[in-house]
Amino acid sequence: MSENKQGETPVKVKRRSLYYILLSACALVVAAAITLTVVFFPQPGDSQLDNNDPPIENPDDNDDDKDDDDDDDEDPGEPGGTEIVFSLPVSGATVSTGYTFWYNSTLNRYNLHTGVDFKAEAGTSVTAAYAGTVESVTQTLLEGGKVVIDHGNGLKTEYASIDVSESLRAGDKVEQGDVLGTVSAAADAMGNEYNEGAHLHFEVVEDGESIDPVAYLDLSEK
């Protein structure tokens, strides 16, 4: 077998070259494995550092309870509350005509009677059925003396065919039971219910519409 100038045979040289090739290949495999580890397996805590989203808070279970409490805050003493009951505007009176379709003998025609008539002696006190503010005080041929009280939330009461107290003015605050005037004598009231005699014509208006006063007035007292 021939030897090179260093004294090595061709076989030895070939084996040594193969050894270096294998060693280089192993080094490349190890380097590739390290690179994959760094890329695909980040260090603990990296995801937390990159995540800038705010933490998710648990919903407040008490919110529903607060909303329920708000619904219960409605004042039953105001119109639209739990219950409103008017006091009788004329003490000791009798109901002559209710909220109904009737024959008006004064006008000689049938029409809706948009209120309740309390028949009483002339001079009987007429009182506010509920607290509120006097909206108007008028005197007309058809209705005689008339007082309108605004109770808030679209609720009003009207008192017609009365002699209004001289001191009562629009804008006055009145409490339930305060005197507004007295029942007019039939001869003085004239008006569209003259033939019915002395009485208070009492109406209730809700959101601009006349309604049956029984919705707020307890006529079982009569």
Side-chain angles (χ1 to χ4, degrees), residues 42-53:
Q43 296 298 317
D46 290 346
S47 60
Q48 294 179 359
L49 294 175
D50 294 337
N51 186 5
N52 294 323
D53 294 337

Side-chain angles (χ1 to χ4, degrees), residues 11 56 58 69 71-72 79 105 109 114-115 117 121 127 149 161 164 172 174 202 206:
V11 174
I56 299 176
N58 292 328
D69 292 340
D71 293 339
D72 295 335
S105 61
R109 69 182 184 188
T114 56
D117 286 347
E121 295 291 333
T127 58
I149 299 179
S161 298
V164 182
D172 288 349
V174 294
F202 178 76
E206 191 171 60

